[in-house]
Every structure is written in structure tokens, then in C-alpha cells.
Amino acid sequence: QKLANKLLLSDLKILSPKSDLLSKLFIYVPESHLDILKDALFASGAGQIAKYSECSFSSQGTGTFKPGKESQPFIGSTEERTSINEIKLEVLVPRNIVRNVLTQAKIVHPYEEMAYEIVGLSNEHQEIGSGVIGSLSEEMSTEGFLTYVKEKLNLQVIRHTKGPNKIRKIAVCGGSGSFLIKDAIRSGADAYITSDIKYHEFFDAEDRVVLCDVGHYESEISTLEIFYDRIQEKFPNFAVIFCTLSTNPIQYFK
């Protein structure tokens, strides 16, 4: 994404979103505590879908339960079956925070035993994955585009294939990104910028996309700026200085 920002790409999306990272959480709650439960779930990170937050779905139904002798029911009497109108609340939860979300839900839920279900989903996570894809503000010729990339990323050389004569939609992945060539083509990218593309992998482009190998070091050097910005944000009283030592083992003979 840092590379995409340097290239001034807009409408950025994940090129290859990851799946199996989300769960659906169902919780049954009396209507009197529905909003309280929602607030707790949303505050703990549940209900996020791409650029939208506090997403949920609710449906009404009737729940039954029979409290045991040693229970302390919120509603009903021990050893008597109780029927109550309840709301089934559904939210998406990233799997890595399910435990914390459940903990926060149980704190505000009125029942002694909170009824819930967790179902794993194979949906793609729209905010997590490999590579990004976006668009230039204006269409460029292939030569003009390569010159533009060279200037914006401060490159000495670009290894590239032939491809479309007009470039607008760009896919980008720092580091060794040849595993995303098919994704770039499938997404309709006019050009794909990455590094470490092997000789035979260049043939995979089949002139459908301009493959641009900008060098591994060159594609990841912007990571320094990410750390620089994060450290300045978290520790504003610290002086942050870029190291001027280049660790790139590759030299270019001009």
C-alpha cells in the first residue's frame, strides 16, 4: 500500500484477499439488553465489514429454558420451563479476537448462561490479504508509465514485459510477488509491479499485463517510512532518524 501511495493510485483494494479469517457470532438476548450488547460487541471489534462498522443483523424468536435448583435466572423460576421473546443477534468477528469479544459480551449479557454460537466462514476478508490494486488519475502510454514508475520509486532499472499500450489500472506487491501474477491478470490490471520474477514467469503475462520487476530491495525500502511514521506517532518525544547505510547487495553497472 505504501508503494501504491507513492504512485498516487486511487480506489485501492486488496489484490488477493485472504479467506477463513472470519467467524459469524450468534447471540440470543432479551430485547431489553439488545443495544447494550451491540455496544459491547462493536466496541470490542465485532461488526466490521470493509469500510463499514457496527454491522449486525437481528431477528426475533422465542427461547425456552428450565433453570436448575442452584441457578440464579435473570428471568423465570427454578425448575420451571420459561418461554421468552428473544432477539438473535448476528455479527462478523475476526477469528483472532473471538475470545475477547465473547468476554465483553458476557460482561453485559443479563443471563447467567449466555447462549451463543460461533460458525467459521470462508468469506474473503476485504481488509487483509496480499498486494493492492488501484488506478492512476490518467491513462498513460507504456513508456510513459515506466518512466513515471522509475521516477516515483527512485529506480535505476526496471525489468518488464510487453503488454497493453495504455496503462491505467495498476497492481502492486512489495517483495517476491510472482505468486500474484494470475491475480493481477484476473483483476484486469494493465500493469503489475513487484520483484523477483523468474525468467519463465515473465511468459505468464502473455502480453495481457505489463509485468514490472523493480528489484526486491527497491520494492521494500519504503517499509522504513512506515516504521518512521508509526514510531513518530506512538513516541512523539523521540528523535527518529533514517539510516543512510544501504544494505542492498545488488549493484548496477551503467
Side-chain angles (χ1 to χ4, degrees):
Q1 186 164 352
K2 188 68 175 179
L3 288 172
N5 291 339
K6 282 182 170 291
L7 294 169
L8 305 180
L9 302 184
S10 59
D11 302 321
L12 296 183
K13 297 180 180 178
I14 300 294
L15 177 61
S16 179
K18 291 191 178 298
S19 58
D20 299 316
L21 296 178
L22 296 170
S23 293
K24 175 70 77 67
L25 173 61
F26 305 87
I27 301 181
Y28 303 85
V29 61
E31 189 170 2
S32 60
H33 285 69
L34 178 61
D35 288 335
I36 296 173
L37 179 60
K38 283 183 180 180
D39 290 341
L41 293 174
F42 298 151
S44 57
Q48 187 81 26
I49 301 178
K51 297 179 181 179
Y52 294 82
S53 61
E54 301 192 8
C55 303
S56 70
F57 182 81
S58 303
S59 54
Q60 292 184 332
T62 303
T64 65
F65 53 88
K66 183 178 180 179
K69 287 184 179 180
E70 298 180 357
S71 63
Q72 297 179 335
F74 174 72
I75 297 173
S77 303
T78 57
E79 299 193 296
E80 291 184 8
R81 182 190 299 164
T82 300
S83 296
I84 180 175
N85 292 328
E86 291 182 317
I87 303 296
K88 180 182 181 181
L89 179 62
E90 307 176 28
V91 291
L92 287 182
V93 184
R95 292 188 185 180
N96 62 309
I97 65 170
V98 166
R99 185 184 297 272
N100 180 60
V101 170
L102 282 175
T103 297
Q104 299 306 314
K106 290 177 180 178
I107 291 174
V108 301
H109 200 286
Y111 290 175
E112 187 175 21
E113 295 294 339
M114 183 180 77
Y116 66 92
E117 304 164 37
I118 302 172
V119 178
L121 302 177
S122 59
N123 298 48
E124 292 181 340
H125 196 306
Q126 298 179 50
E127 295 297 309
I128 297 177
S130 300
V132 296
I133 185 166
S135 299
L136 295 166
S137 60
E138 296 181 354
E139 191 176 73
M140 297 183 181
S141 66
T142 301
E143 183 177 350
F145 168 73
L146 292 172
T147 300
Y148 176 80
V149 172
K150 190 175 180 181
E151 292 175 353
K152 290 294 183 181
L153 301 186
N154 192 28
L155 305 174
Q156 297 186 54
V157 65
I158 301 176
R159 299 166 65 223
H160 67 91
T161 63
K162 295 180 180 179
N165 294 323
K166 299 297 182 181
I167 308 296
R168 181 73 181 271
K169 197 172 182 181
I170 315 299
V172 184
C173 180
S176 302
S178 58
F179 69 101
L180 292 175
I181 291 176
K182 291 182 179 179
D183 292 276
I185 295 173
R186 196 161 37 238
S187 69
D190 301 312
Y192 175 40
I193 300 170
T194 187
S195 71
D196 296 344
I197 301 175
K198 296 180 180 179
Y199 175 79
H200 289 286
E201 291 172 335
F202 278 109
F203 285 103
D204 294 338
E206 297 180 340
D207 292 339
R208 291 176 291 177
V209 62
V210 178
L211 290 184
C212 302
D213 188 329
V214 299
H216 194 112
Y217 177 88
E218 289 80 0
S219 74
E220 291 187 341
I221 189 63
S222 297
T223 305
L224 289 176
E225 297 176 20
I226 296 175
F227 281 105
Y228 181 92
D229 293 339
R230 285 291 177 88
I231 295 172
Q232 279 205 319
E233 177 186 353
K234 299 295 183 180
F235 305 98
N237 295 328
F238 283 17
V240 187
I241 302 172
F242 281 111
C243 177
T244 57
L245 175 66
S246 172
T247 58
N248 188 4
I250 299 173
Q251 302 295 306
Y252 299 99
F253 182 78
K254 298 180 180 179

